[in-house]
Amino acid sequence: MGTRRGGTWTRVTAGLCAILLAASMTACTSEPRPPEPEPDKPAAFAILEDFSARMLAEGAPAVLVAVRSRGATWTHAAGVRNLESGEPATVSDPVRIGGITESFIAVSVMKLAAEGKLELDAEVNRYLPEFGTVLHPPGPVTVRQLLTHESALPDFSVPLLASGNWAETMNRPLSLEQQLALAATVPWNARLARIFDYSRSNYAALALIVERLRGEGIGQVLAEDTAAPLGLAKTRLGGPTPAGMVHGYVTFEGRRTDVSMPAWQAESPSSGALSTVEEVNSFYAALLEGRLLPPDSVTAMKGGYSQYYGFALRRWNNTCNNRFYYGLPGDTDGYGMVAMTSEDGRSQLALAVAYPPAPPTLELNPLIFEMQDVAQEALNTLC
């Protein structure tokens, strides 16, 4: 765990010591001064530390937190990078960010729209001619409906896990085209009014559109659109296991199984990215401050005032100003992350947990809901 109260405290103490040294060399060396009393810890940090301690007691390998508020930062790291070595985790260690990957994909889609290379209300068939012939949708599907999970496109992970043993499917590489081909094996649920219905296949289709229009793999596009411009050295989609990664685990057939780098998620645009809590905060701050997209694109991503979910951004109540925090929860085998950022990008919290090992499931881990509650409560105490 580490606490930083901003640069002012460091500069003041350093300046004081320099004055004392100039006056008398012995003043700083003969008798050490007693430490300054630590100010009362903000309630937010106590909330997060209590949650972290409970997660570790329940078997979580690691908990990482990064908070930014009023120009100060606070970080917390507890647990280990992996259960085999027992090496302590640090706040800069990469983890799987699950569904937060979709925010990165949405930014790449919106950059294409801002450049006039893509229309949100155009049918997907315009950019993926095989979409209609392979998937046979019951009616027109637009790019916008993919972004908002309102397309009713079947989720490919259901037939994927039904196709064999979980351990085998986890270690089977799966291209974007293969993801959509699997989705095509499930009948569409045709509806008169399309509503939010989460499906990993939506972002597989979006990533394929981005690849076609950019002429590059989705991992490279994300690097060029977000990671490189923002200096996010540990944020990526695809590639080998990075040094210092926090490992996640599940239990399968009574045995603990490492799920830190499953082959089927290698470049999954719905859940495959790696990042750190600090770099996720940097990404969302840049997005909401307008450093990645034009203002109208950021507004579109936020969604309408009556919507809690826009384009890979959902919102939570910010009771400090009666507005909203924006970000996403990310849940995947072995890992959970929640990231919330105020509209001006100045108040942020990213909380990552390597879950206590449990059997794999397509359902959300209940801990992701508790993580959202804890994060929202903590941020709302920092007014």
Side-chain angles (χ1 to χ4, degrees), residues 13-282:
T13 53
L16 177 60
C17 191
I19 293 170
L20 292 174
L21 280 169
S24 170
M25 288 296 294
T26 59
C28 282
T29 58
S30 58
E31 291 293 334
R33 298 183 65 182
E36 295 287 342
E38 184 175 349
D40 290 339
K41 183 181 299 182
F45 305 157
I47 291 168
L48 293 163
E49 287 180 339
D50 288 348
F51 176 75
S52 173
R54 183 159 56 81
M55 288 297 96
L56 295 182
E58 293 178 6
V63 179
L64 310 175
V65 190
V67 179
R68 292 175 61 241
S69 179
R70 298 183 180 181
T73 63
W74 180 85
T75 62
H76 169 90
V80 296
R81 286 175 170 169
N82 69 75
L83 295 175
E84 286 68 40
S85 71
E87 186 178 10
T90 74
V91 75
S92 59
D93 291 341
V95 296
R96 286 207 167 275
I97 63 174
I100 291 173
T101 306
E102 294 185 358
S103 288
F104 288 83
I105 300 294
V107 165
S108 291
V109 172
M110 297 303 287
K111 285 177 76 72
L112 286 165
E115 294 167 13
K117 298 176 180 177
L118 177 147
E119 293 182 17
L120 298 183
D121 291 314
E123 290 188 32
V124 177
N125 288 338
R126 179 190 299 185
Y127 308 105
L128 298 179
E130 70 273 30
F131 186 83
T133 57
V134 171
L135 289 158
H136 305 292
V141 175
T142 67
V143 174
R144 185 185 300 274
Q145 288 171 326
L146 297 178
L147 283 165
T148 57
H149 289 286
E150 293 178 328
S151 69
L153 178 58
D155 193 324
F156 72 84
S157 62
V158 176
L160 171 66
L161 293 182
S163 66
N165 178 282
W166 175 85
E168 295 172 354
T169 58
M170 182 186 75
N171 292 305
R172 183 190 308 162
L174 204 61
S175 69
L176 297 176
E177 291 86 354
Q178 289 172 323
Q179 291 175 30
L180 293 180
L182 277 168
T185 66
V186 180
W188 286 69
N189 180 19
R191 294 179 301 227
L192 291 176
R194 289 183 175 169
I195 58 174
F196 180 91
D197 186 14
Y198 183 80
S199 170
R200 296 165 182 84
S201 304
N202 287 311
Y203 277 73
L206 287 168
L208 199 53
I209 291 172
V210 171
E211 288 192 342
R212 299 277 176 86
L213 294 177
R214 291 295 189 201
E216 296 179 315
I218 190 61
Q220 182 62 29
V221 174
L222 263 61
E224 294 172 358
D225 283 349
T226 53
L230 298 179
L232 309 181
K234 297 184 179 180
T235 299
R236 62 177 175 80
L237 184 61
T241 304
M245 181 177 181
V246 169
H247 289 232
Y249 303 85
V250 299
T251 54
F252 178 68
E253 295 182 345
R255 299 188 302 272
R256 190 176 72 208
T257 302
D258 191 315
V259 291
S260 54
M261 295 296 285
W264 79 271
Q265 284 190 351
E267 291 196 6
S268 169
S270 59
S271 58
L274 306 177
S275 190
T276 71
V277 286
E278 292 173 307
E279 291 192 0
V280 166
N281 273 348
S282 295

